[in-house]
Amino acid sequence: KGRKSKIRNSTLNIERMALVPDPPCMSNLSRQQNAMIDENIFGGLKDNEVSTGTTIMAVAYDGGVIMGADSRVSTGSYVANRVSDKVTKIHDRIFACRSGSAADTQAVTDYVRHYLCSHALEAERPPLVSTAASLCKRICYSNKDQLLASLIIAGWDPVDGGSVFAIPLGGTCIKVPFAIGGSGSTYIYGHVDNTYKPNMTKQECTDFVQEAISRAMQRDGSSGGIIRLVVIEQDSVDRHYITLP
């Protein structure tokens, strides 16, 4: 009988606790925490934010690198620019593919271009691709809470030849044989993993980049326009553009 009365009293206490509302500060805090969890896990957008998208790619071969990107700049469902150039020159033989916020990536590449020009004058030699990637990494990592910038740094230098560095969101810097980025890249990871093979020729790399970006543009609504290709070698930098039917 005593055990039953204790159980009944504890049940009443639990029901009373359930009826007591949370303090206002705790309720607001829990709502904010839930909103942050939803945003981080489910990819929700903050107020006044719009989704952006692109497809960028670079691959190294014996003698140089080939970089490519689509040309569509989107702000949500609105196409702000159909023929943007997302392959930006940083130095004579070093370029950057930009994805994320156009303003952020333009600011980062402008700073890196300035630093590289000063470095080349002081060293009296062309800068290394790894130096450009390290500068981008430092800027992106130091400002990772304020920037929405994902970059691919690639080019040719006398030390490493053709090389590619991937700098995703957050500022990590990784040297890779090829790299893809942007919203369109999620559609072609299987394709590039299956198609890429080491020691490809220049023509094979060109076809590889062109086909991968065209497949991404066909499936990603935020990628489109034309395909811009940049071929960087020791003695030349050639730009091409390809229109799709």
Side-chain angles (χ1 to χ4, degrees):
K1 188 174 181 181
R3 177 180 292 180
K4 289 182 179 179
S5 62
K6 289 181 179 179
I7 293 174
R8 188 181 300 109
N9 291 333
S10 62
T11 303
L12 291 173
N13 290 332
I14 293 172
E15 290 175 350
R16 291 193 190 99
M17 291 173 62
L19 293 174
V20 176
D22 292 333
C25 60
M26 294 299 295
S27 299
N28 293 334
L29 180 62
S30 62
R31 292 193 194 100
Q32 294 173 1
Q33 289 175 340
N34 290 334
M36 291 175 62
I37 292 172
D38 291 341
E39 179 183 343
N40 292 331
I41 295 178
F42 301 109
L45 295 172
K46 298 178 182 178
D47 292 339
N48 300 322
E49 281 190 342
V50 293
S51 61
T52 59
T54 187
T55 302
I56 57 176
M57 185 173 181
V59 58
Y61 63 93
D62 185 17
V65 296
I66 295 177
M67 307 177 72
D70 74 308
S71 65
R72 175 177 293 177
V73 175
S74 59
T75 55
S77 59
Y78 175 72
V79 178
N81 191 343
R82 296 181 299 167
V83 288
S84 173
D85 188 1
K86 303 176 186 178
V87 187
T88 302
K89 181 179 179 180
I90 296 179
H91 205 265
D92 293 342
R93 297 291 183 271
I94 305 174
F95 283 70
C97 285
R98 302 178 293 108
S99 67
S101 166
D104 291 349
T105 55
Q106 286 173 358
V108 171
T109 52
D110 285 346
Y111 275 112
V112 173
R113 186 185 302 110
H114 168 73
Y115 292 142
L116 277 186
C117 289
S118 300
H119 169 69
L121 290 173
E122 293 177 0
E124 296 183 348
R125 61 171 177 82
L128 304 179
V129 181
S130 58
T131 302
S134 296
L135 287 171
C136 289
K137 175 197 71 173
R138 178 171 295 187
I139 294 173
C140 291
Y141 182 78
S142 301
N143 302 277
K144 59 184 177 182
D145 294 331
Q146 287 79 35
L147 294 177
L148 182 65
S150 177
L151 302 167
I152 298 175
I153 308 299
W156 184 94
D157 62 59
V159 177
D160 298 319
S163 54
V164 176
F165 291 84
I167 305 176
L169 296 175
T172 303
C173 183
I174 310 168
K175 185 177 182 180
V176 289
F178 75 93
I180 58 177
S183 60
S185 66
T186 58
Y187 296 89
I188 56 173
Y189 272 102
H191 167 71
V192 297
D193 286 341
N194 184 63
T195 306
Y196 175 80
K197 58 180 183 287
N199 303 318
M200 289 196 297
T201 64
K202 176 181 177 180
Q203 186 59 48
E204 288 176 332
C205 289
T206 303
D207 297 338
F208 175 51
V209 174
Q210 181 178 337
E211 182 179 2
I213 295 178
S214 65
R215 288 176 180 268
M217 290 167 59
Q218 291 171 0
R219 290 162 176 79
D220 179 29
S222 298
S223 300
I226 63 174
I227 300 175
R228 296 187 184 273
L229 296 180
V230 179
V231 182
I232 308 167
E233 295 182 327
Q234 179 179 359
D235 300 322
S236 64
V237 175
D238 298 323
R239 282 182 171 269
H240 310 276
Y241 70 90
I242 298 98
T243 59
L244 299 179

